[in-house]
PDB file of all heavy atoms in Angstrom:
ATOM      1  N   ALA A 109     -49.961  -1.824  -9.682  1.00 98.00           N
ATOM      2  CA  ALA A 109     -49.214  -0.884 -10.518  1.00 98.00           C
ATOM      3  C   ALA A 109     -50.034   0.380 -10.691  1.00 98.00           C
ATOM      4  O   ALA A 109     -51.163   0.333 -11.191  1.00 98.00           O
ATOM      5  CB  ALA A 109     -48.901  -1.490 -11.875  1.00 98.00           C
ATOM      6  N   LEU A 111     -49.947   3.838 -12.615  1.00 98.00           N
ATOM      7  CA  LEU A 111     -49.281   4.469 -13.741  1.00 98.00           C
ATOM      8  C   LEU A 111     -49.576   5.959 -13.734  1.00 98.00           C
ATOM      9  O   LEU A 111     -50.620   6.422 -14.193  1.00 98.00           O
ATOM     10  CB  LEU A 111     -49.731   3.840 -15.052  1.00 98.00           C
ATOM     11  CG  LEU A 111     -49.231   2.410 -15.352  1.00 98.00           C
ATOM     12  CD1 LEU A 111     -47.722   2.301 -15.231  1.00 98.00           C
ATOM     13  CD2 LEU A 111     -49.924   1.371 -14.490  1.00 98.00           C
ATOM     14  N   GLY A 160     -53.988  -8.990  -9.231  1.00 98.00           N
ATOM     15  CA  GLY A 160     -53.334  -7.725  -9.541  1.00 98.00           C
ATOM     16  C   GLY A 160     -54.312  -6.574  -9.637  1.00 98.00           C
ATOM     17  O   GLY A 160     -55.522  -6.762  -9.840  1.00 98.00           O
ATOM     18  N   ARG A 161     -53.759  -5.382  -9.464  1.00 98.00           N
ATOM     19  CA  ARG A 161     -54.507  -4.146  -9.618  1.00 98.00           C
ATOM     20  C   ARG A 161     -53.668  -3.205 -10.489  1.00 98.00           C
ATOM     21  O   ARG A 161     -52.527  -2.882 -10.135  1.00 98.00           O
ATOM     22  CB  ARG A 161     -54.773  -3.477  -8.261  1.00 98.00           C
ATOM     23  CG  ARG A 161     -55.557  -4.334  -7.272  1.00 98.00           C
ATOM     24  CD  ARG A 161     -57.027  -4.369  -7.651  1.00 98.00           C
ATOM     25  NE  ARG A 161     -57.835  -5.025  -6.639  1.00 98.00           N
ATOM     26  CZ  ARG A 161     -58.211  -6.297  -6.690  1.00 98.00           C
ATOM     27  NH1 ARG A 161     -57.819  -7.082  -7.697  1.00 98.00           N
ATOM     28  NH2 ARG A 161     -58.976  -6.806  -5.745  1.00 98.00           N
ATOM     29  N   ILE A 162     -54.222  -2.762 -11.613  1.00 98.00           N
ATOM     30  CA  ILE A 162     -53.565  -1.799 -12.484  1.00 98.00           C
ATOM     31  C   ILE A 162     -54.427  -0.545 -12.508  1.00 98.00           C
ATOM     32  O   ILE A 162     -55.630  -0.608 -12.807  1.00 98.00           O
ATOM     33  CB  ILE A 162     -53.384  -2.350 -13.912  1.00 98.00           C
ATOM     34  CG1 ILE A 162     -52.497  -3.608 -13.887  1.00 98.00           C
ATOM     35  CG2 ILE A 162     -52.786  -1.289 -14.830  1.00 98.00           C
ATOM     36  CD1 ILE A 162     -52.409  -4.320 -15.223  1.00 98.00           C
ATOM     37  N   ILE A 163     -53.821   0.586 -12.174  1.00 98.00           N
ATOM     38  CA  ILE A 163     -54.556   1.841 -12.058  1.00 98.00           C
ATOM     39  C   ILE A 163     -53.783   2.923 -12.801  1.00 98.00           C
ATOM     40  O   ILE A 163     -52.627   3.205 -12.475  1.00 98.00           O
ATOM     41  CB  ILE A 163     -54.725   2.254 -10.578  1.00 98.00           C
ATOM     42  CG1 ILE A 163     -55.407   1.128  -9.779  1.00 98.00           C
ATOM     43  CG2 ILE A 163     -55.518   3.554 -10.464  1.00 98.00           C
ATOM     44  CD1 ILE A 163     -55.131   1.173  -8.299  1.00 98.00           C
ATOM     45  N   ALA A 164     -54.418   3.520 -13.788  1.00 98.00           N
ATOM     46  CA  ALA A 164     -53.791   4.606 -14.547  1.00 98.00           C
ATOM     47  C   ALA A 164     -54.400   5.932 -14.124  1.00 98.00           C
ATOM     48  O   ALA A 164     -55.623   6.059 -14.005  1.00 98.00           O
ATOM     49  CB  ALA A 164     -53.984   4.397 -16.043  1.00 98.00           C
ATOM     50  N   VAL A 165     -53.546   6.912 -13.898  1.00 98.00           N
ATOM     51  CA  VAL A 165     -54.014   8.266 -13.583  1.00 98.00           C
ATOM     52  C   VAL A 165     -54.121   9.030 -14.897  1.00 98.00           C
ATOM     53  O   VAL A 165     -53.121   9.243 -15.582  1.00 98.00           O
ATOM     54  CB  VAL A 165     -53.060   8.978 -12.618  1.00 98.00           C
ATOM     55  CG1 VAL A 165     -53.581  10.389 -12.308  1.00 98.00           C
ATOM     56  CG2 VAL A 165     -52.893   8.180 -11.328  1.00 98.00           C
ATOM     57  N   THR A 166     -55.337   9.424 -15.258  1.00 96.00           N
ATOM     58  CA  THR A 166     -55.550  10.149 -16.510  1.00 96.00           C
ATOM     59  C   THR A 166     -55.984  11.580 -16.194  1.00 96.00           C
ATOM     60  O   THR A 166     -55.280  12.308 -15.518  1.00 96.00           O
ATOM     61  CB  THR A 166     -56.567   9.416 -17.402  1.00 96.00           C
ATOM     62  OG1 THR A 166     -57.831   9.303 -16.719  1.00 96.00           O
ATOM     63  CG2 THR A 166     -56.068   8.031 -17.767  1.00 96.00           C
ATOM     64  N   VAL A 187     -54.915   6.160 -23.384  1.00 97.00           N
ATOM     65  CA  VAL A 187     -54.640   5.335 -22.205  1.00 97.00           C
ATOM     66  C   VAL A 187     -55.936   4.689 -21.717  1.00 97.00           C
ATOM     67  O   VAL A 187     -55.974   3.499 -21.383  1.00 97.00           O
ATOM     68  CB  VAL A 187     -54.002   6.175 -21.078  1.00 97.00           C
ATOM     69  CG1 VAL A 187     -53.941   5.372 -19.773  1.00 97.00           C
ATOM     70  CG2 VAL A 187     -52.610   6.641 -21.473  1.00 97.00           C
ATOM     71  N   THR A 188     -57.006   5.473 -21.678  1.00 97.00           N
ATOM     72  CA  THR A 188     -58.300   4.953 -21.225  1.00 97.00           C
ATOM     73  C   THR A 188     -58.755   3.787 -22.095  1.00 97.00           C
ATOM     74  O   THR A 188     -59.211   2.751 -21.589  1.00 97.00           O
ATOM     75  CB  THR A 188     -59.354   6.074 -21.252  1.00 97.00           C
ATOM     76  OG1 THR A 188     -58.905   7.176 -20.459  1.00 97.00           O
ATOM     77  CG2 THR A 188     -60.689   5.583 -20.715  1.00 97.00           C
ATOM     78  N   MET A 191     -56.540   0.690 -21.436  1.00 98.00           N
ATOM     79  CA  MET A 191     -56.861   0.048 -20.163  1.00 98.00           C
ATOM     80  C   MET A 191     -58.182  -0.716 -20.245  1.00 98.00           C
ATOM     81  O   MET A 191     -58.331  -1.780 -19.632  1.00 98.00           O
ATOM     82  CB  MET A 191     -56.920   1.100 -19.051  1.00 98.00           C
ATOM     83  CG  MET A 191     -55.585   1.736 -18.738  1.00 98.00           C
ATOM     84  SD  MET A 191     -54.370   0.533 -18.128  1.00 98.00           S
ATOM     85  CE  MET A 191     -52.882   1.539 -18.158  1.00 98.00           C
ATOM     86  N   LYS A 192     -59.130  -0.206 -21.009  1.00 98.00           N
ATOM     87  CA  LYS A 192     -60.411  -0.914 -21.169  1.00 98.00           C
ATOM     88  C   LYS A 192     -60.191  -2.232 -21.903  1.00 98.00           C
ATOM     89  O   LYS A 192     -60.727  -3.277 -21.506  1.00 98.00           O
ATOM     90  CB  LYS A 192     -61.393  -0.027 -21.937  1.00 98.00           C
ATOM     91  CG  LYS A 192     -62.780  -0.637 -22.094  1.00 98.00           C
ATOM     92  CD  LYS A 192     -63.506  -0.721 -20.760  1.00 98.00           C
ATOM     93  CE  LYS A 192     -64.950  -1.137 -20.948  1.00 98.00           C
ATOM     94  NZ  LYS A 192     -65.677  -1.244 -19.667  1.00 98.00           N
ATOM     95  N   LEU A 194     -57.406  -3.925 -21.984  1.00 98.00           N
ATOM     96  CA  LEU A 194     -56.649  -4.798 -21.093  1.00 98.00           C
ATOM     97  C   LEU A 194     -57.555  -5.410 -20.025  1.00 98.00           C
ATOM     98  O   LEU A 194     -57.445  -6.598 -19.708  1.00 98.00           O
ATOM     99  CB  LEU A 194     -55.510  -4.009 -20.436  1.00 98.00           C
ATOM    100  CG  LEU A 194     -54.507  -4.810 -19.616  1.00 98.00           C
ATOM    101  CD1 LEU A 194     -53.776  -5.826 -20.485  1.00 98.00           C
ATOM    102  CD2 LEU A 194     -53.506  -3.875 -18.939  1.00 98.00           C
ATOM    103  N   ALA A 195     -58.461  -4.605 -19.488  1.00 98.00           N
ATOM    104  CA  ALA A 195     -59.392  -5.118 -18.473  1.00 98.00           C
ATOM    105  C   ALA A 195     -60.197  -6.291 -19.014  1.00 98.00           C
ATOM    106  O   ALA A 195     -60.434  -7.282 -18.307  1.00 98.00           O
ATOM    107  CB  ALA A 195     -60.332  -3.995 -18.016  1.00 98.00           C
ATOM    108  N   ILE A 203     -57.061  -9.979 -12.244  1.00 98.00           N
ATOM    109  CA  ILE A 203     -56.476  -8.638 -12.343  1.00 98.00           C
ATOM    110  C   ILE A 203     -57.571  -7.644 -12.730  1.00 98.00           C
ATOM    111  O   ILE A 203     -58.313  -7.864 -13.687  1.00 98.00           O
ATOM    112  CB  ILE A 203     -55.364  -8.606 -13.403  1.00 98.00           C
ATOM    113  CG1 ILE A 203     -54.274  -9.611 -13.054  1.00 98.00           C
ATOM    114  CG2 ILE A 203     -54.776  -7.196 -13.541  1.00 98.00           C
ATOM    115  CD1 ILE A 203     -53.268  -9.824 -14.175  1.00 98.00           C
ATOM    116  N   THR A 204     -57.680  -6.555 -11.983  1.00 98.00           N
ATOM    117  CA  THR A 204     -58.572  -5.470 -12.357  1.00 98.00           C
ATOM    118  C   THR A 204     -57.748  -4.333 -12.947  1.00 98.00           C
ATOM    119  O   THR A 204     -56.585  -4.120 -12.575  1.00 98.00           O
ATOM    120  CB  THR A 204     -59.384  -4.946 -11.164  1.00 98.00           C
ATOM    121  OG1 THR A 204     -58.498  -4.336 -10.208  1.00 98.00           O
ATOM    122  CG2 THR A 204     -60.151  -6.076 -10.494  1.00 98.00           C
ATOM    123  N   VAL A 205     -58.364  -3.598 -13.877  1.00 98.00           N
ATOM    124  CA  VAL A 205     -57.690  -2.506 -14.579  1.00 98.00           C
ATOM    125  C   VAL A 205     -58.631  -1.312 -14.619  1.00 98.00           C
ATOM    126  O   VAL A 205     -59.732  -1.405 -15.177  1.00 98.00           O
ATOM    127  CB  VAL A 205     -57.309  -2.911 -16.018  1.00 98.00           C
ATOM    128  CG1 VAL A 205     -56.495  -1.811 -16.683  1.00 98.00           C
ATOM    129  CG2 VAL A 205     -56.541  -4.236 -16.025  1.00 98.00           C
ATOM    130  N   ASN A 206     -58.238  -0.205 -14.026  1.00 98.00           N
ATOM    131  CA  ASN A 206     -59.096   0.968 -13.950  1.00 98.00           C
ATOM    132  C   ASN A 206     -58.303   2.249 -14.152  1.00 98.00           C
ATOM    133  O   ASN A 206     -57.066   2.249 -14.067  1.00 98.00           O
ATOM    134  CB  ASN A 206     -59.797   1.020 -12.590  1.00 98.00           C
ATOM    135  CG  ASN A 206     -60.778  -0.124 -12.388  1.00 98.00           C
ATOM    136  OD1 ASN A 206     -61.813  -0.194 -13.031  1.00 98.00           O
ATOM    137  ND2 ASN A 206     -60.425  -1.053 -11.496  1.00 98.00           N
ATOM    138  N   CYS A 207     -59.028   3.324 -14.396  1.00 98.00           N
ATOM    139  CA  CYS A 207     -58.433   4.652 -14.504  1.00 98.00           C
ATOM    140  C   CYS A 207     -59.041   5.573 -13.452  1.00 98.00           C
ATOM    141  O   CYS A 207     -60.212   5.428 -13.090  1.00 98.00           O
ATOM    142  CB  CYS A 207     -58.675   5.253 -15.884  1.00 98.00           C
ATOM    143  SG  CYS A 207     -57.916   4.362 -17.256  1.00 98.00           S
ATOM    144  N   VAL A 208     -58.248   6.512 -12.997  1.00 98.00           N
ATOM    145  CA  VAL A 208     -58.716   7.591 -12.128  1.00 98.00           C
ATOM    146  C   VAL A 208     -58.521   8.888 -12.901  1.00 98.00           C
ATOM    147  O   VAL A 208     -57.430   9.151 -13.419  1.00 98.00           O
ATOM    148  CB  VAL A 208     -57.937   7.631 -10.802  1.00 98.00           C
ATOM    149  CG1 VAL A 208     -58.329   8.841  -9.977  1.00 98.00           C
ATOM    150  CG2 VAL A 208     -58.182   6.350 -10.011  1.00 98.00           C
ATOM    151  N   ALA A 209     -59.591   9.684 -12.997  1.00 96.00           N
ATOM    152  CA  ALA A 209     -59.568  10.884 -13.833  1.00 96.00           C
ATOM    153  C   ALA A 209     -59.760  12.130 -12.968  1.00 96.00           C
ATOM    154  O   ALA A 209     -60.886  12.569 -12.728  1.00 96.00           O
ATOM    155  CB  ALA A 209     -60.656  10.801 -14.898  1.00 96.00           C
ATOM    156  N   PHE A 253     -58.284   2.873  -2.743  1.00 98.00           N
ATOM    157  CA  PHE A 253     -59.448   1.983  -2.725  1.00 98.00           C
ATOM    158  C   PHE A 253     -59.454   1.070  -3.943  1.00 98.00           C
ATOM    159  O   PHE A 253     -59.739  -0.131  -3.830  1.00 98.00           O
ATOM    160  CB  PHE A 253     -60.750   2.776  -2.674  1.00 98.00           C
ATOM    161  CG  PHE A 253     -61.959   1.897  -2.816  1.00 98.00           C
ATOM    162  CD1 PHE A 253     -62.336   1.038  -1.789  1.00 98.00           C
ATOM    163  CD2 PHE A 253     -62.702   1.885  -3.985  1.00 98.00           C
ATOM    164  CE1 PHE A 253     -63.427   0.191  -1.923  1.00 98.00           C
ATOM    165  CE2 PHE A 253     -63.796   1.044  -4.134  1.00 98.00           C
ATOM    166  CZ  PHE A 253     -64.162   0.205  -3.101  1.00 98.00           C
ATOM    167  N   LEU A 254     -59.141   1.601  -5.126  1.00 98.00           N
ATOM    168  CA  LEU A 254     -59.126   0.760  -6.324  1.00 98.00           C
ATOM    169  C   LEU A 254     -58.053  -0.327  -6.242  1.00 98.00           C
ATOM    170  O   LEU A 254     -58.147  -1.340  -6.927  1.00 98.00           O
ATOM    171  CB  LEU A 254     -58.922   1.618  -7.573  1.00 98.00           C
ATOM    172  CG  LEU A 254     -60.117   2.476  -7.991  1.00 98.00           C
ATOM    173  CD1 LEU A 254     -59.750   3.362  -9.172  1.00 98.00           C
ATOM    174  CD2 LEU A 254     -61.330   1.614  -8.334  1.00 98.00           C
ATOM    175  N   ALA A 255     -57.045  -0.112  -5.401  1.00 98.00           N
ATOM    176  CA  ALA A 255     -56.011  -1.128  -5.187  1.00 98.00           C
ATOM    177  C   ALA A 255     -56.435  -2.179  -4.166  1.00 98.00           C
ATOM    178  O   ALA A 255     -55.741  -3.184  -3.994  1.00 98.00           O
ATOM    179  CB  ALA A 255     -54.717  -0.455  -4.727  1.00 98.00           C
ATOM    180  N   ALA A 259     -62.328  -3.578  -3.850  1.00 98.00           N
ATOM    181  CA  ALA A 259     -62.612  -3.076  -5.201  1.00 98.00           C
ATOM    182  C   ALA A 259     -62.463  -4.166  -6.258  1.00 98.00           C
ATOM    183  O   ALA A 259     -62.353  -3.875  -7.444  1.00 98.00           O
ATOM    184  CB  ALA A 259     -61.677  -1.909  -5.520  1.00 98.00           C
ATOM    185  N   GLY A 260     -62.490  -5.411  -5.838  1.00 98.00           N
ATOM    186  CA  GLY A 260     -62.226  -6.515  -6.747  1.00 98.00           C
ATOM    187  C   GLY A 260     -63.268  -6.734  -7.827  1.00 98.00           C
ATOM    188  O   GLY A 260     -63.027  -7.490  -8.767  1.00 98.00           O
ATOM    189  N   PHE A 261     -64.446  -6.096  -7.717  1.00 98.00           N
ATOM    190  CA  PHE A 261     -65.470  -6.260  -8.750  1.00 98.00           C
ATOM    191  C   PHE A 261     -65.631  -4.987  -9.577  1.00 98.00           C
ATOM    192  O   PHE A 261     -66.637  -4.791 -10.258  1.00 98.00           O
ATOM    193  CB  PHE A 261     -66.810  -6.664  -8.121  1.00 98.00           C
ATOM    194  CG  PHE A 261     -67.724  -7.417  -9.060  1.00 98.00           C
ATOM    195  CD1 PHE A 261     -67.321  -8.603  -9.654  1.00 98.00           C
ATOM    196  CD2 PHE A 261     -68.997  -6.942  -9.344  1.00 98.00           C
ATOM    197  CE1 PHE A 261     -68.162  -9.295 -10.526  1.00 98.00           C
ATOM    198  CE2 PHE A 261     -69.845  -7.626 -10.206  1.00 98.00           C
ATOM    199  CZ  PHE A 261     -69.425  -8.806 -10.807  1.00 98.00           C
ATOM    200  N   ILE A 262     -64.635  -4.121  -9.517  1.00 98.00           N
ATOM    201  CA  ILE A 262     -64.608  -2.903 -10.337  1.00 98.00           C
ATOM    202  C   ILE A 262     -63.470  -3.047 -11.338  1.00 98.00           C
ATOM    203  O   ILE A 262     -62.306  -3.141 -10.947  1.00 98.00           O
ATOM    204  CB  ILE A 262     -64.376  -1.643  -9.484  1.00 98.00           C
ATOM    205  CG1 ILE A 262     -65.451  -1.498  -8.411  1.00 98.00           C
ATOM    206  CG2 ILE A 262     -64.342  -0.397 -10.373  1.00 98.00           C
ATOM    207  CD1 ILE A 262     -65.167  -0.391  -7.418  1.00 98.00           C
ATOM    208  N   THR A 263     -63.802  -3.091 -12.608  1.00 98.00           N
ATOM    209  CA  THR A 263     -62.745  -3.160 -13.628  1.00 98.00           C
ATOM    210  C   THR A 263     -63.243  -2.536 -14.920  1.00 98.00           C
ATOM    211  O   THR A 263     -64.448  -2.511 -15.200  1.00 98.00           O
ATOM    212  CB  THR A 263     -62.278  -4.614 -13.858  1.00 98.00           C
ATOM    213  OG1 THR A 263     -61.030  -4.598 -14.565  1.00 98.00           O
ATOM    214  CG2 THR A 263     -63.309  -5.420 -14.642  1.00 98.00           C
ATOM    215  N   GLY A 264     -62.309  -1.997 -15.689  1.00 98.00           N
ATOM    216  CA  GLY A 264     -62.650  -1.323 -16.933  1.00 98.00           C
ATOM    217  C   GLY A 264     -63.313   0.020 -16.728  1.00 98.00           C
ATOM    218  O   GLY A 264     -63.889   0.581 -17.661  1.00 98.00           O
ATOM    219  N   ALA A 265     -63.214   0.564 -15.530  1.00 97.00           N
ATOM    220  CA  ALA A 265     -63.924   1.799 -15.193  1.00 97.00           C
ATOM    221  C   ALA A 265     -62.973   2.998 -15.193  1.00 97.00           C
ATOM    222  O   ALA A 265     -61.769   2.857 -14.984  1.00 97.00           O
ATOM    223  CB  ALA A 265     -64.585   1.680 -13.821  1.00 97.00           C
ATOM    224  N   THR A 266     -63.547   4.158 -15.422  1.00 97.00           N
ATOM    225  CA  THR A 266     -62.845   5.421 -15.199  1.00 97.00           C
ATOM    226  C   THR A 266     -63.586   6.157 -14.095  1.00 97.00           C
ATOM    227  O   THR A 266     -64.766   6.502 -14.246  1.00 97.00           O
ATOM    228  CB  THR A 266     -62.797   6.278 -16.469  1.00 97.00           C
ATOM    229  OG1 THR A 266     -61.942   5.645 -17.432  1.00 97.00           O
ATOM    230  CG2 THR A 266     -62.237   7.662 -16.171  1.00 97.00           C
ATOM    231  N   VAL A 267     -62.912   6.376 -12.980  1.00 97.00           N
ATOM    232  CA  VAL A 267     -63.529   7.010 -11.819  1.00 97.00           C
ATOM    233  C   VAL A 267     -63.136   8.481 -11.795  1.00 97.00           C
ATOM    234  O   VAL A 267     -61.958   8.810 -11.618  1.00 97.00           O
ATOM    235  CB  VAL A 267     -63.088   6.326 -10.515  1.00 97.00           C
ATOM    236  CG1 VAL A 267     -63.767   6.984  -9.321  1.00 97.00           C
ATOM    237  CG2 VAL A 267     -63.411   4.836 -10.559  1.00 97.00           C
TER     238      VAL A 267
END
Side-chain angles (χ1 to χ4, degrees):
L111 288 307
R161 301 284 188 263
I162 299 173
I163 304 157
V165 180
T166 60
V187 170
T188 304
M191 293 298 170
K192 183 68 172 179
L194 188 62
I203 301 169
T204 66
V205 185
N206 294 291
C207 296
V208 174
F253 173 71
L254 288 175
F261 205 58
I262 302 172
T263 196
T266 291
V267 181

